[in-house]
Amino acid sequence: MAEYTLKLRRYDPQSGEAPYYEEFQVDLEPHRSVLEAILKVRGEQDGSVGIRCSCRAAICGSCGVRINGRAGLACHTHLDHAATSGVNADGRTILVEPMGNMPVIKDLIVDMDAVHWKKIQRVTPWLINKQPVPEREYVVPHENMVDVTQTMACIQCGACVSDCLSMEVDPLFVGPAASAKAYRFVGDPRDAEQYERLKDLAEDPHGIYDCTHCFNCIEACPKGVAPMSQIMRLRRVSSADHEIEDRNNGYRHEHAFVKNIRRNGLLHEADLVPDSYGGKLHPRAVPELISSLPTVVRGLQRGKMTPAKALLHQHKAPKEVKRIFDVIEGRDQRLELNLYISGTEDDESEAQA
Amino acid sequence: MPSHDVLIIGAGLAGQRAALAAADAGASVAIISKVHPVRSHSVAAAGGINAALNPEDSWESHAFDTVKGSDYLGDQDAIEVMCREAPDEILWLEHAGVTFHRNGSGHLGTRAFGGASQARTYYVADITGQAILHVLYEQLMKHHEQVDRYEEWFTTTLLQDADGGCSGCVARDIRTGRLEIFNAKSVILASGGAGQAFRPTTNALICTGDGIAQAYRVGAPLMDMEMIQYHPTTLAENGFLITEGARGEGAHLYNAQGERFMERYAPNKLELASRDVVSRAEQTEINEGRGFPDGTIALDITKVPRKRTLEALREIVNIGKDFAGVDITREPIHIKPGMHYIMGGVKTDVDGQTPIPGLYAAGEVACVSVHGGNRLGANSLLDTLIFGRRSGEHAAARARGVAMPKAPAAVLRDAQGEIDAILARDGAGRRVSEIKTELGETMNQYVAVFRDAEGLSHALEVVRRLKEEAPKAAIDDKGSVFNQDVLAAIELGYMLDVAETIVLAAQERKESRGAQFRTDFPERDDAEWLHHITVSRGDDGAPRLATAPVTITKWQPQERTY
Amino acid sequence: MKVAYWPGCVSRGFTPELHGSMAAVAPLLDIELVELDRASCCGAGVIAEHNQELADTLNARTFALAQQVEGAELMMNICSTCQGAQSECQERLDANGEYRAHVNETLAAEGLSYEKGLTNKNFLWLLVEEIGLDALRAKVRRPLTNLKVGPFYGCYIVRPTDRLGIDDEHPRDQYLHQVIEALGGTVIDYAGTYKCCGFPIITMNKEASLKQAGRHLGDAMDAEADCLVVPCPLCHLNLDLQQPVAAKVVDRELAMPVLHLPQLVGLALGLDPKQLGMSKHVVKPTSVIDWTTAVVAAPAAA
């Protein structure tokens, strides 16, 4: 048994008071979960502590909270790990707060309808059957179903939404959970509207190109759904398979970057911005270039960039790099290794497999 | 005041399926759930769902396996209905979007499961319950105009009209504390089991027997309450479930001497014998000193190729890692039998009807009975969907011939009075959680795998004492926003009512059959005991025991070996 | 120690002061930098988004080139984004022999082959794990006493934790804190330490991008930091080059100098701001320069 100090953020909406932190001392074995500790507090010390919980086994998704500032499931987080992680860890104190990006109803309970479920509903989260519907089952390749199982494994706990940094600055961002849900359909061969779903999310200024690529959702997810990876897959299918050139510069930026490296081997920043808008003389790029002028001027003034360097960056092996682009982009089908499906090889056993 | 043709209480698989079926039939539908629907305990069902979809298979074979699995206590007409309708249900689910596993040719693939004469379990990795539940919820979101959802509303009472029929319920909006009357022409209880009356249990904290107790309190008979399933593979410390799918994929059970002991108890089916047989085998090994020091048995999943484990048993890889510190692909994991499911419940016919007009029940809350004395793995998911659908259809049809009830406002005052009484408790009594712990430990000790008259008698004493104590149990939260304390107090009452009926039924059946094993009556006795035991609340409030016949159609009872 | 050195693209492009300061600092730490001048851009996650095999192959080539450097103990990068993008590719390459063989087929024409298990460390990790905080402390000539430094890690070097080898034995997500302290500085706690600078969406949603940068800079100012330190030149671009624009987006005056990690280390080892290219920053690191001159004019003798 070990002693832990649970520091819980309390909020009683009926009191008229601001939220406050309350500390509870609890004695439990170190491998027990933070949820067990909170339930012990609720059972023995203060029955008014509010937290959603049900299965205790990381499958129902009820107990999403922020522990030491990071979202996760309370039932899935061990006390000893929680007390020793983070810069301010003291081996005994565990800070538990409600999830972020969502309004707080009471204590550790947030209003998921207002944010999480609203966004899920926005992506038309039901199968739109490809016609004709067969008499028996749709025939679907084994790997396809396993692939979609990754996003099907989402338990809607909200941890990814809680910690999404794009959503912090842009509350309208469709978000990681809804994007993963969208991929569940885009990746399902039985769905009839792959193009429509992608076009919708690509053109939405708060859609898939609004993701700031920070990995917080991948880190927060207790089920390996890897929402950000699903967003990247949505982008990939949208741009490569459907050539959807969105108004948000997502498609153009991706292609500009790839073209840039293909040509130069290294990134030539000066080309990247205008090309992301459509090209140096493109009508769309001109206002952006004009508004970037002060920044460019400052850079030049400081000696950061010189016109010569900006335009004549030379790479030592341009032909070799180009060859790789040619070989791989010339393939009939994209090759993608999804570790969720293939797993990581075991040194000893898989060598023979 | 919401008024609907069909009101469904509970939004797990049975409830959601009933809602979709009733909406499809054109009824106005409301579904109430005390948690968000995707948090319902159906989400934890792992291994799969049975159906004789394979052309080489037959529903008769599935039905026989089920009858035998039930130790001949299951009602064969209901079992026939369930097994006959199973294949179409699987296809309905698949078309709705469930991501069922595919075999090499792209068709639905199966895995082996306990008590089955051939592989007929359809699955999604080891998250089958979750996959189906989430797809049903997707459909509910699609049909949001036809089905009104009341998410995080707690049902406190079932309402009855002047003729004793069920006319709706009173429920509390958990977020605000406001009570509301829900009028309905038909009510379908789909609120699941009562595992929290045992400690430990695989069941979620929300499985507190709400619907079973509510039905009991309005006079509906409960049936087969003594039949409590102890699942063979649960983690010792916290009761977490390790799916039967592991054994379906090829895992073995070993005692501390390294013996694959199932060879002695079930020479043909070994680890895939029916659950009661395996649990008893394990418990016997443990009781006779061949278990590990912590009272467990070893489940060896390293027998399954690693790649297959990672693909099809990913969830238990995670459970092993997160909750037991074990990598199941490299070492055995220690398990023991744990309380898991209640075969008993509210007595219904094959359309989910109880004897109370307008009151239906489907899923674990109900007892049709398709599981009899023991449920086969992967039959529960099937049960919820078949009878959920049938109840929904029947209730929708019934609505066409019934007038909409309108409960008097006084009903709200009464319900509020009960809540106020809880809030007004002086706090001198023991805490709710303490009473609940004592109940759970008592049930797990005396009403578990092996039972006897003395133990059951002691259990009944404890339950009755706790029933007296419960109305004084102390709570802390006096607020109205998300007051989980008050709900826990109400749930405690439900659990105690249900526990009492379980013990009484176990005492009454002086025989061993299915999950009930009496060390003082170790043999099955068809001559005396081939019938169901029912428990109803008499007019004086006291429980009354009776019997109900077992319906036999094709399969005469035989000796049951695996 | 000898390292196969991948300087990245931006350090030789828009943040030349990073490349220069690393070159100046390396000899003081007894690091011999063998530059991988034939290697290509890591893809910054964008190429992987476009085509995984392409990103994996370009980086496998970089790794193979690094493995060819005679006597090099490991590969070193000076960019959080390179670290993250390359680790993601390496994870796939190392996880599956068949895939790795397939990628090596493409490299074969150049006579290159990637062998599983390359060690690729960011300069920050190298400082703590290879050189060691004690050794670093011993080399300090101008302790950063009273310099209040806010660490800004950059997403790609702290998440996801398992891929980046962050665990109890290697608390890599605390190294920047530890280095600042080892150099004698004061770590400033502020909200933005582990957040995103916004660079990846600068062309897709400029407002959201610079709102992030602006907020973190503002939070650091509120916490009274003298400067931020970042191990990533892409972060540096959004936090320094774009700082005036970010100020407009968050509607507050911002004046927060942003230092590259080698610059901070260089200051403590006795080099001057001018030597470290700090005059090239858009946001004049006045507080830092003032601080430097306020301290003993010349660093203590070795």
Side-chain angles (χ1 to χ4, degrees), chain B residues 63-124:
Chain B
F64 171 69
D65 287 344
T66 303
V67 169
K68 176 180 170 185
S70 78
D71 216 351
Y72 298 93
L73 191 64
D75 290 305
Q76 296 179 17
D77 57 337
I79 291 174
E80 287 191 17
V81 164
M82 183 175 85
C83 295
R84 233 200 324 257
E85 297 182 0
D88 281 342
E89 186 65 27
I90 301 288
L91 293 175
W92 185 93
L93 291 169
E94 200 273 330
H95 293 158
V98 177
T99 51
F100 282 118
H101 169 85
R102 294 306 205 258
N103 59 23
S105 66
H107 290 94
L108 292 171
T110 55
R111 61 160 43 128
F113 233 66
S117 50
Q118 42 173 301
R120 58 170 69 100
T121 302
Y122 294 87
Y123 65 101
V124 179

Side-chain angles (χ1 to χ4, degrees), chain B residues 2-318:
Chain B
S3 302
H4 296 82
D5 291 335
V6 180
L7 173 65
I8 297 157
I9 301 176
L13 288 179
Q16 291 194 35
R17 188 67 184 89
L20 290 169
D24 232 3
S28 60
V29 185
I31 183 165
I32 299 182
S33 175
K34 70 180 180 182
V35 291
H36 187 283
V38 304
R39 316 289 178 219
S40 305
H41 199 48
S42 302
V43 81
I49 175 172
N50 288 334
L53 197 55
N54 202 328
E56 282 111 56
D57 198 0
S58 71
W59 69 261
E60 288 96 334
S61 170
H62 182 190
F64 171 69
D65 287 344
T66 303
V67 169
K68 176 180 170 185
S70 78
D71 216 351
Y72 298 93
L73 191 64
D75 290 305
Q76 296 179 17
D77 57 337
I79 291 174
E80 287 191 17
V81 164
M82 183 175 85
C83 295
R84 233 200 324 257
E85 297 182 0
D88 281 342
E89 186 65 27
I90 301 288
L91 293 175
W92 185 93
L93 291 169
E94 200 273 330
H95 293 158
V98 177
T99 51
F100 282 118
H101 169 85
R102 294 306 205 258
N103 59 23
S105 66
H107 290 94
L108 292 171
T110 55
R111 61 160 43 128
F113 233 66
S117 50
Q118 42 173 301
R120 58 170 69 100
T121 302
Y122 294 87
Y123 65 101
V124 179
D126 54 353
I127 53 168
T128 312
Q130 176 191 338
I132 301 178
L133 187 68
H134 281 239
V135 169
L136 289 185
Y137 192 69
E138 288 168 3
Q139 294 295 309
L140 279 183
M141 286 194 278
K142 179 178 178 187
H143 291 99
H144 65 98
E145 284 174 8
Q146 294 135 292
V147 180
D148 292 327
R149 302 195 305 271
Y150 293 87
E151 298 168 348
E152 291 185 322
W153 283 71
F154 186 95
T155 304
T156 58
T157 352
L158 288 179
L159 295 174
Q160 285 178 290
D161 58 29
D163 304 314
C166 186
S167 60
C169 78
V170 174
R172 177 176 161 113
D173 178 0
I174 300 179
R175 283 197 204 188
T176 61
R178 185 180 109 241
L179 287 172
E180 183 71 77
I181 293 175
F182 287 78
N183 291 309
K185 297 184 185 180
S186 299
V187 174
I188 305 179
L189 288 171
S191 28
Q196 285 291 313
F198 289 74
R199 184 184 171 94
T201 171
T202 65
N203 285 197
L205 297 164
I206 58 174
C207 304
T208 48
D210 300 11
I212 302 177
Q214 285 158 0
Y216 177 71
R217 290 175 183 181
V218 296
L222 308 181
M223 187 166 87
D224 293 347
M225 291 305 289
E226 72 276 25
M227 298 306 180
I228 304 289
Q229 183 170 81
Y230 267 68
H231 191 289
T233 54
T234 70
L235 291 184
E237 201 168 62
N238 45 34
F240 286 4
L241 178 68
I242 303 288
T243 179
E244 184 157 299
R247 286 171 283 138
E249 296 291 333
H252 295 169
L253 290 167
Y254 294 99
N255 62 23
Q257 293 163 0
E259 185 202 353
R260 192 180 174 196
F261 57 89
M262 285 310 298
E263 283 168 358
R264 279 187 276 123
Y265 296 88
N268 289 325
K269 298 296 285 181
L270 297 162
E271 283 84 4
L272 289 177
S274 65
R275 288 178 180 179
D276 57 320
V277 169
V278 182
S279 286
R280 270 195 294 277
E282 290 178 2
Q283 195 63 55
T284 305
E285 293 296 297
I286 293 168
N287 291 349
E288 290 179 4
R290 290 185 292 279
F292 291 89
D294 56 354
T296 59
I297 290 291
L299 174 68
D300 191 353
I301 306 173
T302 67
K303 301 280 177 237
V304 181
R306 188 163 184 270
K307 187 160 194 278
R308 177 72 188 159
T309 299
L310 292 174
E311 183 184 294
L313 297 173
R314 182 189 301 271
E315 197 45 40
I316 59 172
V317 171
N318 291 338

Side-chain angles (χ1 to χ4, degrees), chain C residues 148-152 188-193 213-228 252 254-257:
Chain C
K148 295 188 287 227
V149 186
F152 190 90
I188 291 295
D189 203 6
Y190 71 108
T193 301
R215 280 193 186 177
H216 308 323
L217 292 162
D219 286 341
M221 286 181 64
D222 291 339
E224 294 180 13
D226 289 317
C227 66
L228 292 184
R252 80 176 270 183
L254 294 174
M256 176 58 59

Side-chain angles (χ1 to χ4, degrees), chain A residues 48-319:
Chain A
S48 72
V49 170
I51 181 171
R52 288 193 177 107
C53 52
S54 181
C55 75
R56 307 157 295 146
I59 194 72
C60 73
S62 302
C63 64
V65 287
R66 262 190 179 159
I67 298 174
N68 297 330
R70 296 194 186 173
L73 296 176
C75 69
H76 206 229
T77 309
H78 298 282
L79 288 168
D80 53 3
H81 180 80
T84 53
S85 61
V87 200
N88 301 317
D90 63 4
R92 135 181 217 126
T93 311
I94 299 169
L95 176 66
V96 188
E97 297 167 299
M99 291 195 285
N101 283 329
M102 291 179 267
V104 181
I105 297 177
K106 172 188 170 186
D107 290 344
L108 302 171
I109 299 168
V110 298
D111 186 351
M112 288 197 47
D113 290 319
V115 179
H116 181 104
W117 288 109
K118 197 151 105 186
K119 301 196 191 259
I120 293 285
Q121 278 157 15
R122 185 236 169 287
V123 300
T124 316
W126 51 82
L127 190 74
I128 298 171
N129 292 78
K130 201 170 249 172
Q131 301 296 332
V133 176
E135 229 185 271
R136 279 193 50 126
E137 70 268 37
Y138 285 90
V139 178
V140 177
H142 168 86
E143 304 72 42
N144 270 102
M145 245 359 153
V146 180
D147 179 74
V148 160
T149 307
Q150 185 178 16
T151 43
M152 202 66 232
C154 169
I155 56 177
Q156 309 291 348
C157 69
C160 59
V161 170
S162 161
D163 284 4
C164 174
L165 294 178
S166 277
M167 214 181 272
E168 227 176 78
V169 293
D170 178 10
L172 294 177
F173 174 44
V174 69
S179 302
K181 193 69 156 165
Y183 185 82
R184 173 256 177 286
F185 297 104
V186 166
D188 192 329
R190 302 170 296 176
D191 191 84
E193 304 218 337
Q194 195 190 66
Y195 172 79
E196 288 81 352
R197 292 181 189 273
L198 290 168
K199 183 124 172 91
D200 176 29
L201 290 172
E203 293 289 8
D204 185 344
H206 310 283
I208 56 178
Y209 289 111
D210 202 8
C211 165
T212 196
H213 222 288
C214 74
F215 298 95
N216 251 2
C217 55
I218 295 182
E219 187 66 22
C221 178
K223 291 288 159 190
V225 175
M228 194 190 94
S229 304
Q230 309 307 330
I231 294 176
M232 296 307 133
R233 292 212 283 179
L234 288 169
R235 290 183 183 182
R236 192 154 51 236
V237 179
S238 170
S239 83
D241 297 342
H242 293 277
E243 304 273 327
I244 297 174
E245 196 177 324
D246 59 290
R247 80 190 81 179
N248 304 307
N249 294 328
Y251 175 95
R252 283 183 289 277
H253 175 74
E254 182 188 306
H255 286 258
F257 196 107
V258 173
K259 191 173 77 174
N260 200 309
I261 307 302
R262 179 183 213 282
R263 192 168 55 214
N264 308 315
L266 296 175
L267 182 66
H268 278 205
E269 299 92 329
D271 291 337
L272 185 61
V273 172
D275 284 348
S276 298
Y277 282 83
K280 291 175 190 62
L281 300 172
H282 196 282
R284 221 176 1 236
V286 172
E288 177 56 33
L289 286 175
I290 292 177
S291 72
S292 302
L293 222 40
T295 306
V296 172
V297 167
R298 268 179 232 120
L300 289 169
Q301 282 175 337
R302 301 281 188 278
K304 251 180 181 298
M305 300 110 76
T306 60
K309 259 183 92 186
L311 301 169
L312 304 172
H313 229 116
Q314 274 290 21
H315 188 251
K316 291 268 175 75
K319 279 210 285 288

Side-chain angles (χ1 to χ4, degrees), chain C residues 52-122:
Chain C
Q52 270 184 16
E53 190 196 348
L54 180 57
D56 292 350
T57 309
L58 288 171
N59 283 305
R61 178 172 174 275
T62 303
F63 300 155
L65 288 167
Q67 284 173 330
Q68 278 188 343
V69 174
E70 192 92 23
E73 288 184 42
L74 43 74
M75 177 169 135
M76 184 184 91
N77 65 75
I78 49 172
C79 172
S80 298
T81 303
C82 287
Q83 181 67 65
Q86 286 172 339
S87 291
E88 184 187 319
C89 293
Q90 189 176 359
E91 190 184 39
R92 278 192 290 269
L93 291 165
D94 285 358
N96 190 306
E98 209 180 296
Y99 182 62
R100 189 166 61 249
H102 171 85
V103 167
N104 276 333
E105 257 171 52
T106 311
L107 300 180
E110 211 180 328
L112 291 170
S113 180
Y114 166 61
E115 205 182 290
K116 167 178 170 166
L118 170 87
T119 304
N120 175 19
K121 291 192 184 181
N122 181 275

